[in-house]
Amino acid sequence: MTGWIDTHCHLDAPEFAADVAEVRERARQRGVVHCVLPAVQVAHFEVTRTLAHQFGDSYALGIHPLYVKDAVDADLARLDAALVEHRDDPRLVAVGEIGLDYFVPELCESPLRERQEFFYLEQLRLARKHQLPVILHVRRSADMLLKGLRAVGNGGYQWQGIAHAFNGSLQQAQAFIDLGFKLGFGGALTYERAQNLRRLAAELPLEAIVLETDAPDMPPHWLYTTAEQRANGQAQGRNEPGELPRIAQVLAELRGVTMDRLQAQTRANVQTVLPRCALA
Ligand SMILES: [Zn+2]
């Protein structure tokens, strides 16, 4: 079977509430055969799971760092219970989206800084307990994420997963790879000014890369509107999983590989780090 896999899109987001089936169908027509839908909060676990089943996709369950401020400790027990309840569901492929965000100012200060670190570590423990891969949100937090993985893994646990929307250094990329991760690349690399990211995406071994849109966020440059355009009433373009092949085209050109080669290797990479991924 052939086709693209979007390893990270939020079809449960309110931006898709009106037309999610059309969005998914449009992606399918453009060759996106499979999507991984990471939940961001307990209240969305059911809808995320339902969408994955409706479309023949996969899902992950977790509490996103940007949603930690609305989360309560009991949500961790709810996540644990959901992972037990759906343990035999082959479409449940990971714990995620979890991680740390040191870009949003309020998350860098007490008490939310400690709070997001607590939720990250506790969710790593749940992933280890349930032997599931993790999908990580990395924003200015690569070193702390790595530290958490090593601590919770006691230095020896074989992690699997994806560092999503990766935008760190080559050294940090290598550290994630050494721990068993692939790095997710998406719309950010379509911007010519993103030189460091483009260099990284071109230089890393192809075996280390998976593709993603992070829809509805992270619009590629052809959907992006400037602050000035928005002030003049032009809405920010909504990113969709159907943009994945065009993003892949940019990466294929950066690397000088064919689209077939890129598709085949990134698919194989998904199967390595998300082995339960029910590939279409
Ligand atoms: Zn996300």
Side-chain angles (χ1 to χ4, degrees):
M1 295 289 263
T2 58
W4 299 101
I5 301 173
D6 184 350
T7 59
H8 199 108
C9 65
H10 297 283
L11 293 182
D12 61 310
E15 287 88 339
F16 294 124
D19 62 345
V20 66
E22 285 166 47
V23 167
R24 187 64 190 86
E25 181 53 29
R26 188 154 47 233
R28 204 177 298 282
Q29 282 168 9
R30 294 179 187 171
V32 180
V33 293
H34 200 84
C35 294
V36 180
L37 317 180
V40 296
Q41 56 177 329
V42 170
H44 273 224
F45 283 3
E46 264 317 291
V47 66
T48 306
R49 192 178 74 82
T50 302
L51 287 169
H53 280 266
Q54 181 182 342
F55 299 131
D57 291 325
S58 297
Y59 66 102
L61 298 177
I63 301 158
H64 188 292
L66 296 185
Y67 289 80
V68 158
K69 65 177 184 300
D70 302 319
V72 294
D73 287 9
D75 285 351
L76 293 164
R78 293 190 183 99
L79 172 59
D80 192 14
L83 296 174
V84 171
E85 184 183 352
H86 303 300
R87 81 165 27 126
D88 297 324
D89 181 355
R91 298 193 183 280
L92 171 61
V93 297
V95 170
E97 174 174 359
I98 67 171
L100 296 169
D101 192 307
Y102 296 135
F103 178 77
V104 176
E106 68 169 333
L107 294 183
C108 299
E109 288 162 23
S110 248
L112 284 179
R113 186 181 181 102
E114 293 78 14
R115 196 77 183 137
Q116 62 161 333
E117 290 167 4
F118 169 73
F119 272 84
Y120 170 56
L121 294 174
E122 289 301 312
Q123 291 183 97
L124 283 186
R125 290 189 181 100
L126 289 176
R128 191 187 60 187
K129 172 182 167 186
H130 293 279
Q131 301 276 303
L132 282 167
V134 288
I135 295 175
L136 297 178
H137 173 95
V138 194
R139 209 153 50 148
R140 297 194 181 164
S141 58
D143 291 338
M144 280 296 280
L145 291 172
L146 289 161
K147 194 175 155 194
L149 289 165
R150 293 194 186 102
V152 174
N154 298 322
Y157 181 70
Q158 186 51 62
W159 293 105
Q160 286 180 313
I162 295 170
H164 127 77
F166 187 77
N167 195 356
S169 69
L170 187 59
Q171 288 75 11
Q172 288 166 333
Q174 193 58 53
F176 277 109
I177 293 166
D178 291 346
L179 278 175
F181 284 79
K182 307 293 184 195
L183 307 166
F185 288 93
L189 60 77
T190 65
Y191 295 84
E192 271 176 42
R193 65 172 186 274
Q195 289 183 16
N196 289 338
L197 184 65
R198 286 178 157 226
R199 194 175 315 121
L200 187 68
E203 287 177 358
L204 283 172
L206 196 49
E207 291 71 23
I209 290 175
V210 296
L211 292 164
E212 61 175 48
T213 60
D214 202 18
D217 300 322
M218 305 275 273
H221 82 78
W222 51 88
L223 294 177
Y224 182 79
T225 54
T226 63
E228 193 183 348
Q229 287 170 315
R230 271 171 271 152
N232 289 327
Q234 200 178 328
Q236 182 63 271
R238 181 184 66 173
N239 196 10
E240 297 186 5
E243 300 296 336
L244 194 88
R246 200 168 157 192
I247 293 168
Q249 180 76 52
V250 174
L251 182 59
E253 283 165 18
L254 284 173
R255 298 188 62 99
V257 295
T258 64
M259 288 285 270
D260 284 350
R261 167 101 177 88
L262 182 63
Q263 186 183 97
Q265 187 61 52
T266 53
R267 283 177 67 95
N269 296 345
V270 176
Q271 284 170 304
T272 303
V273 285
L274 302 179
R276 295 176 78 179
C277 209
L279 296 181

